[in-house]
Amino acid sequence: MSRQKIVIDPVTRIEGHSKISIHLDEQGHVEEAYFHVTQFRGFEKFCEGRPFSEMPSLMARICGICPVSHLVASAKACDAILAVQIPENAARLRRILNLAQLVQSHALSFFYLSAPDLLLGMDSDPAKRNVFGLAEANPAVARDGVRLRQFGQQVIEWLAGKRIHPAWVVPGGVSDPLTAEHRDRILAALPEVRGIAERTLDWFKNSMEQFREEIRTFANSPTLFMGMVGPDGSLEHYDGKLRFLDAGGHIVADGIDGAAYADHIAELAHPWTYLKTSFYKPLGYPDGVYRVGPLARLNIIDRVDTPKAAQEWAEFRELDRGAVLSSFYYHYARLIEILYAIEKIEHLLQAPGILDANVRAHARANNSEGIGIAEAPRGTLMHHYKVDRDGLITWANLIIATGHNNAAMNRGVLQVARHFVHGNKLSEGMLNRVEAVIRTFDPCLSCSTHAGGRMALEVELRSADGAVLDRIAHG
């Protein structure tokens, strides 16, 4: 038997374009596997020469799923350029908006993209293994997913004017205060969506036993974990310090200010993908590989400050003695964060000053550089800008959650392929599991492929009959 290559193209039920290649040796055993991100978008270059005040609205266009995360991180970078402290109520409203996006994005990932595997089975008919098949097989679960996502989008619309690419988050705060009518609408919807989150958690916890093999092999390896924590070590998505944790649950670095991220995080490019790989600089690559996102956030924190989510988090932490390592548990962590976000939104809406009309600080550019960091649904999001004397962008760097997770995703693809894929007897279910490990991370590839520099590029010139006439490669 000669060496073979299996290509899964495209990877399905993720956001963006990619493929997976699995390389087999002469005996049909998996030798290597790669996750290739095949799209490239140059936002870091597009924005050069634009006024920094335009950046939040411009950066929101990076993604239609998590535009709010880019709005928030970008606006925080612009706040730093303004050198202002935004009004307290503006920060409160930004938090609510970011949490609403977390609900709708996590609902999309869990119910639309991964629940077909979880409810219908990894080996089920691929023609039915999608959200339509899910709606046919279990309409109640499908309705719950639609309702949760609808709730998150409605809150975004009621706060910011529209569901996708709102321009409401601006340098210095937000453009308009919350109205009493919209506050009351959100509060009225909370009991229903809280009930959905709680019953989905109950169902998922009771179903985990049937996925023991997937739990054991889905990117289940020792890595670092990184994310933002509050001043008291609590779960935080809007403003806090960065923390690194090792696989044993020990803090490696703590209290890192977002403005100092470059002292701790470095990036590199691989020749097989347009997606950069981030790593913890003091340990180098590959020892400094880390993960971000809901699994990482629940690993690194000391507490959760809402009651129902705190109880769920306590149960979650019983899964492992140190950090919870299996990336299959990203699904579990998303459900806990949905419940947390619903509880936290209610708490924020009940603050005495929530209708305060003072929601924006005005200033000109007072600093030549600004860094904004927030927790997007998929993990830590970093926006870093430099401006000239006229406030025009001269340089930008974006580090997206999917880039933080790139090395771990590649490790996961190899681990799953070695366990499930056998070259002399392939099955669709085997290959679906290779895709499913990527879905646990819920990558957003449109968000993540922005960097210029030394990137992989391969161009082939083919004749009408498909024969390769010439080929040139870079990277």
Side-chain angles (χ1 to χ4, degrees):
M1 182 177 179
S2 61
R3 292 175 179 265
Q4 297 183 55
K5 183 168 75 170
I6 301 167
V7 178
I8 303 171
D9 186 9
V11 178
T12 59
R13 282 184 279 135
I14 64 170
E15 292 146 28
H17 304 289
S18 65
K19 66 181 180 180
I20 291 170
S21 64
I22 303 169
H23 300 257
L24 309 177
D25 64 16
E26 289 87 348
Q27 288 74 45
H29 301 136
V30 173
E31 195 170 53
E32 192 53 86
Y34 299 98
F35 175 57
H36 308 264
V37 178
T38 56
Q39 67 185 99
F40 174 78
R41 303 168 77 219
F43 270 80
E44 288 170 332
K45 285 294 181 183
F46 295 162
C47 66
E48 290 181 5
R50 307 302 305 173
F52 80 93
S53 58
E54 295 181 358
M55 289 300 286
S57 292
L58 180 60
M59 293 297 97
R61 266 64 183 179
I62 290 173
C63 183
I65 303 300
C66 50
V68 169
S69 294
H70 290 285
L71 275 172
V72 169
S74 180
K76 289 179 70 177
C78 293
D79 297 342
I81 291 171
L82 293 175
V84 298
Q85 180 175 344
I86 72 170
E88 181 181 0
N89 198 42
R92 195 180 290 126
L93 294 174
R94 283 182 180 181
R95 285 178 184 273
I96 295 172
L97 193 75
N98 201 39
L99 291 168
Q101 182 204 242
L102 182 137
V103 171
Q104 70 89 9
S105 181
H106 279 357
L108 172 65
S109 173
F110 184 86
F111 289 94
Y112 290 64
L113 305 182
S114 290
D117 291 328
L118 303 175
L119 266 170
L120 305 179
M122 296 281 180
D123 299 294
S124 59
D125 179 3
K128 294 283 189 180
R129 199 175 57 229
N130 51 51
V131 70
F132 301 106
L134 177 67
E136 182 180 340
N138 199 321
V141 169
R143 281 196 299 269
D144 280 350
V146 170
R147 178 62 187 122
L148 266 183
R149 185 150 195 254
Q150 180 191 47
F151 165 78
Q153 291 176 315
Q154 283 177 329
V155 173
I156 293 170
E157 182 179 18
W158 292 335
L159 281 173
K162 58 181 182 177
R163 300 182 179 193
I164 301 175
H165 306 320
W168 180 68
V169 180
V170 294
V174 298
S175 58
D176 298 292
L178 176 67
T179 67
E181 177 190 359
H182 288 152
R183 177 200 59 189
D184 295 343
R185 282 187 190 177
I186 299 169
L187 287 171
L190 290 173
E192 178 193 6
V193 292
R194 186 188 301 112
I196 293 173
E198 289 176 325
R199 65 174 169 263
T200 305
L201 268 163
D202 289 341
W203 163 72
F204 182 82
K205 289 186 291 185
N206 290 328
S207 71
M208 285 195 297
E209 189 60 38
Q210 62 186 294
F211 295 104
R212 286 297 157 195
E213 201 169 4
E214 287 80 9
I215 290 169
R216 187 163 58 88
T217 58
F218 273 28
N220 186 0
S221 64
T223 66
L224 300 176
F225 295 90
M226 190 270 284
M228 182 184 291
V229 299
D232 57 354
S234 60
L235 182 60
E236 178 59 60
H237 295 84
Y238 175 73
D239 196 24
K241 303 293 186 181
L242 297 177
R243 173 182 288 180
F244 284 87
L245 191 85
D246 69 16
H250 307 108
I251 295 174
V252 174
D254 201 9
I256 300 168
D257 190 273
Y261 81 91
D263 295 333
H264 302 269
I265 295 170
E267 301 174 273
L268 57 84
H270 293 293
W272 66 82
T273 181
Y274 285 109
L275 176 57
K276 291 186 295 183
T277 295
S278 303
F279 58 93
Y280 180 56
K281 189 183 289 187
L283 292 181
Y285 182 83
D287 293 342
V289 168
Y290 60 89
R291 282 177 273 179
V292 299
L295 178 69
R297 287 191 287 258
L298 296 193
N299 272 329
I300 66 173
I301 58 173
D302 301 322
R303 59 189 294 269
V304 174
D305 62 3
T306 64
K308 293 182 182 294
Q311 179 59 45
E312 294 292 345
W313 174 71
E315 291 184 34
F316 172 85
R317 290 307 301 269
E318 291 297 316
L319 292 170
D320 276 312
R321 291 183 179 180
V324 178
L325 296 182
S326 175
S327 292
F328 185 88
Y329 290 128
Y330 268 101
H331 300 310
Y332 190 1
R334 280 187 193 96
L335 296 177
I336 295 173
E337 284 203 322
I338 288 173
L339 180 58
Y340 164 82
I342 292 167
E343 291 187 291
K344 194 70 174 180
I345 287 171
E346 181 173 37
H347 173 76
L348 290 166
L349 286 174
Q350 291 171 341
I354 194 63
L355 301 180
D356 190 336
N358 180 23
V359 293
R360 185 173 185 179
H362 294 273
R364 63 178 182 84
N366 290 299
N367 286 326
S368 61
E369 190 170 0
I371 296 171
I373 296 183
E375 287 291 332
R378 289 154 193 82
T380 314
L381 173 63
M382 300 172 170
H383 280 237
H384 185 180
Y385 310 146
K386 295 180 181 179
V387 299
D388 64 16
R389 295 177 61 183
D390 298 318
L392 302 180
I393 298 291
T394 60
W395 178 88
N397 185 45
L398 312 179
I399 306 182
I400 316 297
T402 302
H404 293 301
N405 281 331
N406 192 24
M409 288 191 291
N410 273 279
R411 287 184 180 183
V413 166
L414 179 59
Q415 185 181 20
V416 171
R418 283 179 170 166
H419 183 79
F420 288 103
V421 176
H422 308 286
N424 55 359
K425 188 181 179 183
L426 289 176
S427 72
E428 200 282 331
M430 291 178 184
L431 301 182
N432 182 48
R433 285 172 173 83
V434 178
E435 293 186 68
V437 71
I438 295 297
R439 293 185 203 114
T440 64
F441 290 90
D442 187 28
C444 188
L445 308 179
S446 299
C447 278
S448 60
T449 52
H450 300 142
R454 184 173 175 78
M455 305 297 287
L457 178 65
E458 182 177 315
V459 178
E460 289 182 345
L461 177 64
R462 292 178 178 266
S463 64
D465 61 2
V468 177
L469 303 177
D470 197 6
R471 174 183 174 275
I472 185 169
H474 164 72

